Amino acid sequence: MLMTLRRHPLAIALISAMLGVASCLVAGNLLPEPQELKRPLPHQLASSDRQLRMSMGALFGSNYIAGNKVETLVNGIRIFPAMLSAIREARKTISFETYIYWRGAIAEEFAEALSIKAREGLSVKVLLDWVGSLPMDERLIQRMQDAGVEVVRFRPVAWYTLDRVNNRTHRKLLIVDGRVGFTGGVGIADEWNGDARTPEEWRDNHYRVEGPAAAEFQAAFAEHWIEATGQLLLGDRFFPDISLAGDHGAQVVVSSTHQRNTMHLMLMTALAAAQKSIRIATPYFVPDELTRNQLLEARKRGVEIQIIVPGPHTDARIVRKASRHLWGDLLRAGVKIREYQPTFFHCKLVIVDDIWSSVGSTNIDDRALRLNDEANINLFDREFARSQMALFDADAAASRPYTLSDWQNRSSSEKFSDWLSSLARSQI
């Protein structure tokens, strides 16, 4: 074979070119998008400065939209009934996008509720990430499709998706009649179906948004739906006139292909604005160098920083180890890191001072901030921030402090395995 190829230099050149293209595709998929920022943002605008709200509204996602009611749903015992109730009360359209939809009792219940509405003649569209939904029971998809639900896999592996195969949708969006939206951390699986009472019942938050901001959720869904199907969602079925529903002003921020740094820039802007405190809750805390430096700059200003991450119960031990490798400078600077003990901790929450909050699907790692498509909702709202701080403090009370001494006293094998795990941090 080798001798034959040597007689055909053109074939060798063609094969080399094909291998080169394949290598470029693999590298391009694995590497996160380059960061525009080269150093931490200065503390130019404070969290209490009105101009910060105006700037963030202009730069990231939608402007702050008035007239919304935002309800916090704690754990699956409250999250799933609220989502199912909204589905059952739908009159025209249901748009549902999720990364995880697996199997089990709650997966069956959602499939049945969506199927019933499709048989009633509603437009029911379900968009599942191809990778995230691989463990899904295919019977559920068939059941929904037989009932008239449009079930589509997002970015399945094919020749025309090779340039984006590592860019998944991690968004969790449910929009009903274009007026009510849900976002947060939960997937549709029994792991979330409980009240965090045992290790089998995961701890998470989800958020019900009623009012004009729901149109931004619908627009985010429509962006992915047209990519997956070629169909553009138009008309008042999907984008109705929406009355004011509450007092919350909300900004919806989404990251998409070639615009993923939006989330990273938004987070850096918020951290740079902190005056007193930063609270971060995340199941996957693998911050890049810039994020770590932004936190360290805040500590130099005297900002108190608390971070809650999973403890012994986790769905990804490699993430926990890679995260721990990066904690040294943070702990030395006085950042307080706590590991949640009762069960797997899956909440995604950032609170700056007592005024700004960001919730949704985004984790603090390269995959969320520079690879996946995400959706968050931000609020400049002291009452909402206080409610999230109360939840955070309750979770902190159920968490074990991880000290600098703990970090320094890891065994040599732990230090090595933590370092080794951190080498894969852009992908985990």
Side-chain angles (χ1 to χ4, degrees), residues 204-222:
D204 214 338
N205 295 332
H206 221 64
Y207 299 84
R208 181 185 186 276
V209 181
E210 183 178 357
E216 298 295 325
F217 286 172
Q218 188 76 285
F221 177 86

Side-chain angles (χ1 to χ4, degrees), residues 232-239:
L232 180 62
L233 305 186
L234 292 170
D236 61 5
R237 285 197 309 160
F238 299 102
F239 297 99

Side-chain angles (χ1 to χ4, degrees), residues 350-399:
V350 180
I351 313 166
V352 172
D353 297 331
D354 57 354
I355 184 169
W356 184 87
S357 308
S358 186
V359 299
S361 66
T362 308
N363 299 306
I364 312 297
D365 61 9
D366 274 340
R367 175 153 291 282
L369 295 174
R370 298 168 61 200
L371 279 170
N372 286 344
D373 292 5
E374 307 280 0
N376 266 39
I377 183 167
N378 300 339
L379 294 93
F380 272 97
D381 187 294
R382 292 185 185 276
E383 180 183 354
F384 183 81
R386 281 194 293 270
S387 71
Q388 303 310 297
M389 289 162 61
L391 288 172
F392 184 97
D393 292 346
D395 289 330
S399 302

